[in-house]
Amino acid sequence: MHLTEAELASRVPVWYALSELFTGRELQDYDYKWIAQMLKESGKSREEIFNILDHEVAPALQANLLYNPTPVMEGWSEEEIKRLVTQYVNKKPTIIERVVPTRFLLKQRRKYIQDEIDKLCAEMDKCT
């Protein structure tokens, strides 16, 4: 997937907001409010946002929660997120991504952040 400059500009704030779900710290109410507000300001639908989460942000950042012995705790800069997620979306699918059914990969990725997603959805409901 190659994104145009306009697509990239509209996605980076969404990537940055969603990246908070992949830090190694426990998110607070104010974190969910900030994420929900950023997502609302993006103008993207909930469906678009969760598609971006599942297919762009989660695959690029999930290793921070799963495999990193010293996970990033305080988050990344917006520029780091742009680089990390762009690098992921521009690469060829891994063998696992080609062999394992997509719905299984999505389920596995969400398993580790489902509580955060639920809290985020509740906060997004308040913002609408």
Side-chain angles (χ1 to χ4, degrees):
M1 169 199 293
H2 289 283
L3 302 170
T4 66
E5 285 302 315
E7 290 170 325
L8 193 58
S10 76
R11 272 180 153 73
V12 169
V14 174
W15 292 346
Y16 184 58
L18 292 172
S19 73
E20 286 295 307
L21 301 176
F22 296 91
T23 60
R25 67 184 179 85
E26 186 174 334
L27 298 177
Q28 304 300 311
D29 290 343
Y30 58 82
D31 294 310
Y32 293 107
K33 287 179 185 175
W34 177 80
I35 297 168
Q37 186 60 41
M38 292 292 291
L39 297 175
K40 180 180 178 184
E41 290 174 9
S42 76
K44 296 194 179 303
S45 71
R46 190 176 289 219
E47 183 180 339
E48 286 177 287
I49 289 167
F50 285 105
N51 190 44
I52 289 169
L53 172 66
D54 289 335
H55 298 285
E56 299 168 23
V57 178
L61 302 178
Q62 71 182 358
N64 190 59
L65 296 178
L66 302 177
Y67 316 117
N68 194 343
T70 55
V72 171
M73 299 295 281
E74 295 302 318
W76 300 267
S77 71
E78 193 167 335
E79 198 56 40
E80 288 173 300
I81 290 301
K82 180 180 178 182
R83 180 184 58 76
L84 290 168
V85 180
T86 301
Q87 184 178 20
Y88 173 79
V89 299
N90 287 336
K91 74 174 189 64
K92 292 181 180 180
T94 64
I95 288 180
I96 291 173
E97 291 170 329
R98 288 183 293 206
V99 174
V100 177
T102 302
R103 69 180 180 281
F104 178 77
L105 289 174
L106 295 176
K107 184 178 177 183
Q108 287 302 108
R109 289 177 186 142
R110 281 205 174 186
K111 178 170 79 171
Y112 298 99
I113 58 166
Q114 192 59 54
D115 288 342
E116 287 81 7
I117 290 172
D118 294 342
K119 291 175 186 175
L120 177 57
C121 284
E123 193 59 47
M124 290 171 75
D125 290 341
K126 293 177 191 176
C127 284
T128 56

